[in-house]
Amino acid sequence: MRRFAPRPSRFAFVRLWATVAAIASLVVAITASGALRPVEDALASQRFGLIQRPASQGMVLVEIDAASLNAAEVWPWGRDRYAQALDHLDAAGARLVGFDVDFSAKSTPEMDHRFASAIAQTPGAVILPTFVQPARRSTPDASMVENTPLAALSEEALLASVNVVADSDGRVRRYLRGFSAGDAFRPSMAALMAGEPFGRTAPFHIDYGIQPASIPTLSFQDVYENGFDPALVRGRAVLIGATALELGDNLATPRHGILPGVVVHALAYESLVQGRALYFPHPLVTLILIVTVALTLRPARQATALAGLARRHLLVLSFVLGAPFAFQAMAPVILPVTPLLLTQVFCLAVAIQQELKRRGEDIVRAREAGLLHLAMHEPETELPNRRALLEEISRTRRGGNGAVAVVAIGVDRYAQMRAAIGYGMANDVVRAVAARLLRTCHASRLGYISTGVLGLVVGRGEASALEAELARLESLDPAYEVDGALVDAFLRLGVAYDWNPAETDERLLEQATIALDEARRQNRRRLMFQPAAFQDPSLNISLMSDLRQGLEEGQIALHYQPKRAANGAIVGVEALMRWTHPTRGLIQPDIFIVAAEETGSIRELTEWTLIQALADSAALRRAGHQLTVSINVSGRVLGDRAFRDFVLHAVGGQAQQLCLEVTETAVIESPQAAIEAVGAFRRAGLAISIDDYGVGLSSLSYLKLLEADELKLDRSIAMAVDTERDRLILRSTIELAHSLNMKVVAEGIEDAAVESILLGLGCDLIQGYLVARPMPLAELRTYLDAAVPNPVLAAAS
């Protein structure tokens, strides 16, 4: 027997390694896909916040700030200002002076000569910037060209690239030491100023733990006027660049949000001179760590002691979260965390799944008899449930008893009755109703469909007899005696006839339920289902299923309709969803958006719209168009706290680029929740627009409740300009909005004469086919590139 003993051990060993290999492979695949990148970046930002260090003081930033711009009163500056500043820095003993300012275009010959002379006084101690950009921005595959300073300026200066590389989320994490093109090499600004070896191009990660506030700074105006302490720059490197917001040289960073580009170059310089140019270890090291974590946690199929498993996981978690801090604090190494966390999650999932499976099998065997009964009965009333009723519908239809009807019978105001008399007595009432129904319709079968709703299948030889049965049901006495008390239970009936043998049993019962809902809405005692008059819920479900697939496959797109200001400038756009279905073609928004609201999918759709609008807004900004993008927010999600948290997290530092359009119904449905949500959005910097103003009946109270930035006149009121009374209403509405510090937008405008009247009444923005139809992002870029302010409109304003 002993010779067979090792076999289970060897088998367990192989099984263990197979599990570890499967987990490691899955983790590597997920990591390679980039799915873990957001979490890894968030953890890296936290490490930067905890592992902070000051700047080396070897560099001084000379800021082209707002004060410098105001003092000069003109932009761009003449190069004599840079020449004079350079003379003052040289006189103060600056070791090296770098410029993050474009000198590729010609100025006046005198100013260019003045600047070139200032550079020539310190040959090799001045660095001028170069940057690579597409030759034509309108051509996607255009060749790249390098913009370099004028030859006259470059003769005695060093050249360095100021290009930076942004990751897919738009944040700058990596920095290149230089660029190579054939035999040519161009060092980056930070690498050249830090004295990096010539020819190195390897990228590194900037250490954002270095505090930007600790970098010494001077205002350009102080340097220009020689109003600074020379000791601040003596023997130091000096980097001159723009920090004023209006100059737009800003970059998104993972830790500090938006930073001026010159500060990013300074942090890259500090990373190099302090030996903090961060890098990831070799992928093989990460793989070894993944396997080590998996082996330490030893996922196995045997019964697991959950307490011991929890202790092991806590120890491993402490190491996985703590080790990267220690490594990064001691050396410029970014140890990946998310692959190890994911490995731990998979190991825990395997162990728990195996334990739960074993315990679940015991529970299933113990409860099998009870579940069989529960499967066919409603527990509180002990009446046959929906499944039992469906079986009875199927049996009655197969029996060929002539005319068959399925009836959904609802107890009116059941919730209020249950609140008044209690759950127990309310269940007694339902049982009494069921008994009376069966006594009235002999040989019929009954089942419990949902709260306060019973289902009855009635089969009769002829349609007239069936109709007589239904009439008796409709005329039932509503009084029921329960526990000596008289309770009124008024019934409503939704009827579905079995005219179509192709209909399924489930569909027939669903039709009866739909007819009951419509009978309640119309305040009728009995209503028969008519296919042409009722929306098919299966179509909504199918549409929502297709919608989710369409979101994944790119069938849904955002089109943008521009908003034109009084001076003719395009200052904003409204994001409108368009769905091109692969088989149904173009589906109108009022169809799929309404369906999404009714089925609860509107939040998913709105969140997708928000994320896509942010991405498109970023693309427009990169193309040089600063526009406010408006998106519509349904009243179904405005008061949803989870949606509010999602919006606030998603917009981050981009809140000023978005405007949320809310309608009156959003406030009517849940006023307090809507007001709180709008307040939170405005505090985060999001603009709020009141949409469809003038349609509802409580618009003035709506203005009182909501603090908004924009009032959007509905087309029905914006186009009503024919009479003096109409114009008086419009003028008073516009003046009211302006007094509340709101801009006024008129939408749906198609007529130039109407636009002229609206502008004369003080309307701020115009939206409609007169300005432009909704268009995809690519067409919008072309439109914006070609758009120029209308002089007629500008004069009118």
Side-chain angles (χ1 to χ4, degrees):
M1 295 294 294
R2 289 183 180 178
R3 62 178 179 175
F4 296 105
R7 288 187 177 179
S9 177
R10 281 201 300 269
F11 180 72
F13 178 80
V14 172
R15 186 171 57 196
L16 171 64
W17 274 100
T19 304
V20 169
I23 291 175
S25 300
L26 189 56
V27 170
V28 169
I30 294 175
T31 303
S33 72
L36 302 178
R37 180 64 183 274
V39 179
E40 189 70 57
D41 291 339
L43 293 173
S45 295
Q46 292 300 317
R47 289 198 296 273
F48 288 138
L50 295 175
I51 309 173
Q52 296 190 27
R53 61 188 73 238
S56 66
Q57 309 302 308
M59 171 182 281
V60 178
L61 285 182
V62 175
E63 300 181 279
I64 301 177
D65 52 14
S68 303
L69 294 180
N70 291 336
E73 298 182 348
V74 65
W75 182 264
W77 292 339
R79 287 176 184 161
D80 55 334
R81 295 183 70 85
Y82 299 111
Q84 185 165 331
L86 183 57
D87 289 342
H88 292 160
L89 291 172
D90 181 44
R95 175 177 59 85
L96 188 65
V97 178
F99 285 89
D100 187 10
V101 179
D102 181 19
F103 296 118
S104 60
K106 290 183 178 181
S107 178
T108 64
E110 294 79 10
M111 290 186 179
D112 287 343
H113 178 72
R114 172 73 177 87
F115 191 34
S117 298
I119 295 172
Q121 291 178 6
T122 55
V126 177
I127 304 174
L128 299 182
T130 71
F131 56 94
V132 177
Q133 63 179 350
R136 293 177 178 270
R137 291 192 176 275
S138 59
T139 305
D141 56 349
S143 60
M144 306 297 288
V145 295
E146 183 182 31
N147 281 55
T148 58
L150 296 176
L153 304 179
S154 306
E155 291 179 354
E156 300 295 339
L158 302 175
L159 299 183
S161 172
V162 292
N163 282 100
V164 293
V165 179
D167 290 340
S168 57
D169 62 354
R171 290 180 170 84
V172 176
R173 297 180 178 86
R174 295 171 295 145
Y175 195 91
L176 296 177
R177 288 179 168 86
F179 302 84
S180 291
D183 296 333
F185 172 74
R186 182 74 69 201
S188 63
M189 179 64 73
L192 184 57
M193 298 192 78
E196 283 288 290
F198 188 82
R200 295 189 64 186
T201 60
F204 62 91
H205 284 252
I206 299 173
D207 186 354
Y208 284 105
I210 299 172
Q211 300 164 333
S214 65
I215 301 173
T217 60
L218 289 171
S219 174
F220 185 93
Q221 187 62 24
D222 292 339
V223 175
Y224 174 72
E225 295 175 348
N226 205 17
F228 65 98
D229 184 358
L232 293 176
V233 300
R234 185 175 299 116
R236 295 181 177 178
V238 177
L239 182 58
I240 302 174
T243 60
L245 291 177
E246 53 265 45
L247 296 184
D249 185 15
N250 297 307
L251 299 173
T253 63
R255 173 63 187 169
H256 305 292
I258 302 299
L259 288 177
V262 67
V263 177
V264 174
H265 289 298
L267 291 175
Y269 165 87
E270 292 290 343
S271 300
L272 290 170
V273 299
Q274 295 190 40
R276 298 299 301 171
L278 304 177
Y279 64 92
F280 282 95
H282 193 277
L284 183 60
V285 175
T286 304
L287 179 61
I288 292 173
L289 290 174
I290 291 172
V291 173
T292 302
V293 170
L295 287 174
T296 302
L297 297 175
R298 294 192 300 278
R301 292 187 182 180
Q302 292 82 7
T304 306
L306 295 182
L309 181 67
R311 284 193 296 271
R312 273 193 293 160
H313 273 271
L314 284 175
L315 289 174
V316 172
L317 181 62
S318 300
F319 170 79
V320 169
L321 294 179
F325 283 98
F327 273 96
Q328 191 166 320
M330 294 184 297
V333 178
I334 303 176
L335 193 65
V337 177
T338 50
L340 307 183
L341 290 176
L342 188 60
T343 302
Q344 186 171 0
V345 169
F346 284 151
C347 290
L348 183 62
V350 170
I352 292 177
Q353 185 270 339
Q354 291 166 356
E355 179 66 12
L356 293 180
K357 181 180 179 181
R358 183 181 65 80
R359 297 186 182 188
E361 290 172 351
D362 295 340
I363 294 173
V364 168
R365 284 191 295 268
R367 295 185 176 182
E368 197 170 46
L371 291 175
L372 181 61
H373 176 79
L374 290 175
M376 302 300 289
H377 290 80
E378 195 277 324
E380 292 188 353
T381 62
E382 287 297 318
L383 292 172
N385 62 10
R386 183 186 183 93
R387 178 180 295 179
L389 179 61
L390 286 171
E391 289 189 0
E392 290 298 333
I393 293 174
S394 177
R395 185 188 62 81
T396 303
R397 296 177 73 192
R398 289 197 308 269
N401 294 326
V404 175
V406 176
V407 188
I409 303 162
V411 179
D412 255 12
R413 299 178 57 80
Y414 177 78
Q416 290 82 349
M417 179 185 71
R418 185 177 60 188
I421 66 177
Y423 273 80
M425 189 173 289
N427 288 331
D428 291 340
V429 171
V430 172
R431 282 190 287 267
V433 170
R436 184 173 295 179
L437 290 172
L438 291 176
R439 287 195 302 270
T440 303
C441 295
H442 302 288
S444 298
R445 296 293 183 268
L446 180 140
Y448 187 95
I449 299 178
S450 62
T451 303
V453 180
L454 300 174
L456 192 68
V457 53
V458 183
R460 294 295 180 265
E462 296 180 357
S464 58
L466 181 58
E467 178 62 27
E469 290 284 287
L470 297 178
R472 281 195 293 273
L473 290 176
E474 185 178 356
S475 60
L476 283 177
D477 184 357
Y480 295 86
E481 186 175 346
V482 180
D483 288 345
L486 196 62
V487 178
D488 285 339
F490 292 93
L491 304 181
R492 295 189 190 274
L493 282 64
V495 182
Y497 285 100
D498 183 23
W499 302 131
N500 183 6
E503 291 284 8
T504 64
D505 303 328
E506 178 74 38
R507 181 72 185 119
L508 202 59
L509 181 57
E510 189 176 76
Q511 290 174 352
T513 307
I514 294 172
L516 172 62
D517 292 339
E518 188 64 19
R520 286 169 168 166
R521 193 182 69 82
Q522 298 183 19
N523 195 25
R524 295 174 59 179
R525 290 295 302 277
R526 175 163 59 113
L527 189 65
M528 184 178 69
F529 179 83
Q530 297 288 346
F534 297 94
Q535 175 67 37
D536 188 346
S538 64
L539 293 179
N540 280 345
I541 295 173
S542 172
L543 196 65
M544 289 304 97
S545 176
D546 289 350
L547 180 61
R548 291 189 178 91
Q549 184 177 356
L551 287 174
E552 296 172 359
E553 296 180 356
Q555 300 170 13
I556 311 296
L558 289 184
H559 285 204
Y560 295 93
Q561 187 170 35
K563 298 179 182 179
R564 186 165 66 195
N567 64 356
I570 303 301
V571 297
V573 292
E574 180 180 1
L576 302 169
M577 280 178 282
R578 295 294 183 265
W579 182 9
T580 304
H581 194 279
T583 57
R584 303 183 188 181
L586 183 64
I587 299 179
Q588 295 299 320
D590 57 352
I591 294 178
F592 69 85
I593 290 178
V594 170
E597 289 184 325
E598 293 176 350
T599 58
S601 301
I602 189 63
R603 176 180 164 186
E604 178 183 1
L605 199 60
T606 307
E607 290 177 352
W608 175 90
T609 301
L610 177 72
I611 296 300
Q612 187 62 44
L614 283 172
D616 291 348
S617 176
L620 288 173
R621 290 198 317 279
R622 290 192 297 271
H625 302 294
Q626 299 285 345
L627 300 177
T628 299
V629 178
S630 300
I631 65 171
N632 292 281
V633 177
S634 168
R636 301 292 177 90
V637 299
L638 182 61
D640 187 337
R641 183 57 183 265
F643 173 76
R644 184 195 316 175
D645 294 341
F646 171 86
V647 172
L648 297 178
H649 174 75
V651 298
Q654 306 174 70
Q656 71 279 2
Q657 302 159 21
L658 289 184
C659 175
L660 303 184
E661 295 191 2
V662 298
T663 57
E664 183 180 38
T665 55
V667 181
I668 294 174
E669 291 179 359
S670 183
Q672 189 59 39
I675 293 170
E676 291 177 0
V678 168
F681 292 149
R682 294 193 83 232
R683 287 191 295 274
L686 287 162
I688 301 298
S689 174
I690 298 176
D691 196 12
D692 296 338
Y693 183 80
V695 176
L697 301 177
S698 56
S699 297
L700 288 178
S701 62
Y702 192 22
L703 290 180
K704 180 180 179 181
L705 288 173
L706 290 184
E707 291 187 22
D709 305 278
E710 182 180 275
L711 186 67
K712 199 166 186 183
L713 302 178
D714 184 72
R715 185 179 189 277
S716 59
I717 187 173
M719 293 292 290
V721 296
D722 295 332
T723 66
E724 184 63 29
R725 179 184 178 88
D726 292 335
R727 291 191 288 272
L728 180 61
I729 293 173
L730 277 172
R731 182 185 297 278
S732 62
T733 302
I734 294 170
E735 290 176 352
L736 173 63
H738 286 167
S739 67
L740 295 174
N741 295 322
M742 288 190 290
K743 293 182 295 184
V744 178
V745 181
E747 64 176 337
I749 305 304
E750 302 178 8
D751 186 274
V754 174
E755 178 190 30
S756 179
I757 293 173
L758 289 170
L759 293 178
L761 293 175
C763 187
D764 301 291
L765 301 172
I766 299 296
Q767 179 182 348
Y769 286 177
L770 177 65
V771 179
R773 291 177 177 269
M775 64 190 78
L777 181 64
E779 293 182 17
L780 177 63
R781 288 179 182 171
T782 303
Y783 173 84
L784 293 173
D785 290 338
V788 294
N790 189 324
V792 176
L793 296 179
S797 67

